[in-house]
Amino acid sequence: MNKAELVSAIAKRADVPTSTVDSVLAGLQDELVDAITRGEKVAVSGLLTVERTQRSARTGRNPQTGESIDIPAANTVKVTAGSNLKKAASNVPV
């Protein structure tokens, strides 16, 4: 499902115009980016948690040449599924 399909599905389910849903998703995106920039954790209960984490410097290996390379420390984003998403995933047969 891409963003346009998501906007349409939410608009139909909530019985609101697609432009409203698109504005809300844009606001959500902006707020998530701002919160991550500030180092805050964002939790939507039952759905997901988004937080900034730090990855330490390490030594890697170029798979083509086998040469060792130094990978610098970096900030990254961690997204954790909430209980409702975990439950939905576990109910799907493998």
Side-chain angles (χ1 to χ4, degrees):
M1 175 180 284
N2 62 30
K3 183 180 178 182
E5 293 168 341
L6 178 63
V7 168
S8 294
I10 293 171
K12 184 177 178 182
R13 186 176 290 239
D15 196 28
V16 296
T18 55
S19 60
T20 302
V21 175
D22 195 42
S23 295
V24 169
L25 285 180
L28 174 64
Q29 178 180 333
D30 292 342
E31 198 53 43
L32 282 173
V33 168
D34 289 347
I36 293 300
T37 301
R38 293 188 303 265
E40 295 177 359
K41 179 178 179 179
V42 178
V44 181
S45 184
L47 185 62
L48 56 84
T49 302
V50 181
E51 62 185 312
R52 184 176 72 193
T53 60
Q54 293 180 345
R55 188 172 52 211
S56 58
R58 62 197 189 281
T59 302
R61 191 163 301 279
N62 182 332
Q64 291 181 338
T65 64
E67 176 185 358
S68 292
I69 56 173
D70 291 327
I71 302 171
N75 288 322
T76 186
V77 176
K78 177 181 175 184
V79 179
T80 306
S83 60
N84 291 342
L85 284 180
K86 289 178 183 179
K87 186 186 299 183
S90 69
N91 290 335
V92 177
V94 179

